Amino acid sequence: MTEPLYCINHPTVETYLRCARCEAPICDKCAVQTEVGYICPACLNRQQRVFYADFRPIYYPLAAAIALPLALIAGWILPATGWFTIFLGPLAGTGIAEAARWAIRRRRGRYTWLVVAGAIVVGGLPRLLLSLVPLVVSAADPSLLTVGVWPLVWTGVYLFTAVGTAVARLR
Ligand SMILES: [Zn+2]
Ligand SMILES: [Zn+2]
């Protein structure tokens, strides 16, 4: 049996817990659970400061460089799958967001969500423009309109769901 330690913040409170970072004894009131185990408030503070200070503006173009090619592929293929877009759009949004986060080593930037959302919208533009063609054509012959409007609907569904899930994941 090990001797009880005393919390560095509460000298009267016995504990067996030590901070995973600095090994200071901490009571269960002070301990904060993280990926590396329980850590003390001082270490948590330091870790969070590093987390944000570590972010450099260069990570935005880096996130975009990964997100844009994926968004171009997803934006071209998925709306062509018709109603499957309802399920595939959120998946694409999640995938693109995770790829962008991986690219910047999961560092947190305030505007990462905006960069990724922008990439998804830009990536959807080729399909969006193509889906407008039937509408332009049907302007001459309105009987074609019912056929012509679906590509635009699915492109809209794709953009809405993909951007929505990506932003929810990154904010
Ligand atoms: Zn500590
Ligand atoms: Zn304590």
Side-chain angles (χ1 to χ4, degrees), residues 7-10 13 25-31:
C7 175
I8 45 160
N9 300 318
H10 306 94
V13 181
I26 38 172
C27 70
D28 53 7
K29 262 189 203 144
C30 296

Side-chain angles (χ1 to χ4, degrees), residues 120-144:
I120 292 173
V121 171
V122 171
L125 282 182
R127 175 61 71 184
L128 187 67
L129 291 176
L130 186 75
S131 62
L132 286 173
V133 170
L135 295 186
V136 175
V137 172
S138 65
D141 183 359
S143 66
L144 295 171

Side-chain angles (χ1 to χ4, degrees), residues 19-24 39-40 42-43:
C19 169
R21 277 271 153 74
C22 67
E23 306 213 308
I39 64 171
C40 71
C43 284

